[in-house]
């Protein structure tokens, strides 16, 4: 069995592939290293042989997690690293090592699935957009605050904005003008994300007409899906790229 990990700024997304290395036999999201280990230990008949991961966390945090995995499961851990080119995709950053690894892997996955030009939109702690041309050239991208960052900034800097997660979820049941503060904030932030998406699609069309694919990924991707019905929602897009960057065969 292969353990795959996507260690983001807020959570660790994980899945366990069966012996075929293709199908996920278990998956989940953990809020800490300890929670991840506990979730894995709770799986029946777990027999990990290999592990690969991508991390955007500090090196010290990542090393601590790797040590815990080795100690607990005795696996060799392979970590994704920056590269100038992988599988026909050429990193477009002037300093390729400065491009976030999660973005890089999502780009690899998107280009593989598209077999051509594509726009990759990722909605996690940050919202990101990346443009990959038909020949694999990364044209660059954009980064802006994601839903949680926008929400938390308003909560932090505006004294009267106070509400819980349950209220936030209810507020997003529709996007009509808010009649309470929670509705106004949540729907306003969601519409900002949708506006971000539409501008990216417009820019992609200026490059490639209608001959490109759009991929949505990340925990908040469902908030914008309705604004781009032609897009393909791929929650595990980073894992597609991780397998390309860290082949274990």
């Amino acid at each position: 069995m292969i353990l795959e990990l996507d260690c983001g700024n807020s959570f660790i997304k994980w899945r366990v592939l069966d012996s075929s290395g293709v199908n996920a036999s278990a998956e989940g999201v953990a809020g800490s290293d300890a929670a991840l280990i506990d979730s894995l230990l709770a799986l029946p008949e777990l027999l990990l042989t290999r592990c690969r991961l991508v991390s955007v966390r500090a090196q010290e945090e990542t090393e601590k997690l790797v040590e815990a995995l080795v100690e607990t499961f005795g696996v060799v851990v392979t970590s994704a690293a920056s590269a100038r080119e992988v599988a026909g995709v050429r990193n477009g950053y002037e300093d390729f090592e400065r491009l976030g690894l999660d973005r890089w892997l999502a780009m690899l996955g998107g280009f593989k699935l598209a077999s051509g030009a594509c726009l990759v939109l990722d909605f996690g702690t940050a919202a990101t957009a990346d443009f990959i041309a038909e020949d694999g050239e990364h044209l660059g991208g954009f980064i802006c605050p994601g839903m949680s960052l926008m929400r938390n900034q308003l909560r932090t800097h505006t004294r009267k904005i106070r509400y819980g997660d349950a209220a936030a979820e209810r507020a997003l049941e529709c996007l009509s003008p808010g009649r309470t503060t929670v509705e106004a904030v949540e729907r306003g932030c969601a519409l900002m994300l949708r506006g971000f998406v539409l501008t990216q699609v417009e820019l992609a069309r200026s490059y490639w007409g209608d001959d490109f694919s759009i991929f949505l990924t990340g925990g908040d991707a469902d908030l914008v899906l309705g604004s781009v019905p032609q897009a393909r929602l791929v929650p595990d897009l980073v894992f597609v790229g991780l397998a390309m960057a860290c082949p274990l065969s």
Side-chain angles (χ1 to χ4, degrees):
M1 295 180 170
I2 299 172
L3 173 63
E4 294 186 324
L5 302 175
D6 177 6
C7 306
N9 292 298
S10 303
F11 301 100
I12 302 172
K13 186 175 182 180
W14 62 269
R15 70 177 186 177
V16 176
L17 303 182
D18 60 22
S19 56
S20 69
V22 176
N23 301 312
S25 59
E27 58 187 352
V29 177
S32 66
D33 294 1
L36 169 66
I37 299 294
D38 289 343
S39 296
L40 294 173
L41 289 174
L43 296 176
E45 301 180 2
L46 179 69
L47 184 59
L48 295 179
T49 56
R50 291 169 290 179
C51 173
R52 57 189 168 207
L53 67 81
V54 55
S55 176
V56 297
R57 300 181 169 191
Q59 183 175 349
E60 183 178 345
E61 291 181 272
T62 304
E63 290 175 350
K64 182 179 178 181
L65 174 58
V66 170
E67 290 172 3
L69 292 170
V70 172
E71 180 179 348
T72 306
F73 302 105
V75 292
V76 175
V77 180
T78 303
S79 299
S82 301
R84 175 64 70 186
E85 181 173 349
V86 172
V89 180
R90 295 182 297 283
N91 193 317
Y93 261 30
E94 294 178 0
D95 180 356
F96 72 90
E97 294 182 331
R98 300 292 294 176
L99 177 66
L101 283 173
D102 50 348
R103 287 174 62 195
W104 174 236
L105 297 185
M107 287 162 46
L108 295 181
F111 188 72
K112 177 181 180 180
L113 297 178
S115 298
C118 60
L119 168 63
V120 176
L121 299 164
D122 192 341
F123 297 92
T125 302
T128 65
D130 284 289
F131 299 77
I132 304 93
E134 184 178 7
D135 63 357
E137 184 70 26
H138 174 220
L139 304 182
F142 298 96
I143 304 173
C144 74
M147 189 70 177
S148 61
L149 280 179
M150 287 192 286
R151 175 192 297 128
N152 290 337
Q153 283 297 303
L154 285 170
R155 283 176 171 174
T156 300
H157 297 288
T158 307
R159 292 181 180 179
K160 292 186 178 181
I161 294 182
R162 296 290 184 271
Y163 55 85
D165 293 339
E169 186 174 347
R170 289 193 301 271
L172 288 170
E173 292 176 355
C174 74
L175 291 178
S176 60
R179 298 174 66 88
T180 65
T181 298
V182 61
E183 290 176 353
V185 170
E186 292 296 314
R187 295 172 189 178
C189 291
L191 288 173
M192 287 192 72
L193 286 185
R194 290 192 173 199
F196 175 77
V197 169
L198 294 176
T199 59
Q200 308 313 307
V201 173
E202 182 180 350
L203 181 55
R205 286 201 177 110
S206 74
Y207 290 146
W208 308 307
D210 290 324
D211 191 17
F212 67 98
S213 300
I214 305 171
F215 295 98
L216 302 177
T217 193
D220 288 325
D222 59 320
L223 294 178
V224 302
L225 185 58
S227 60
V228 276
Q230 72 272 38
R232 180 174 173 184
L233 179 63
V234 186
D236 293 329
L237 191 58
V238 168
F239 285 142
V240 176
L242 179 61
M244 299 165 65
C246 300
L248 297 178
S249 57

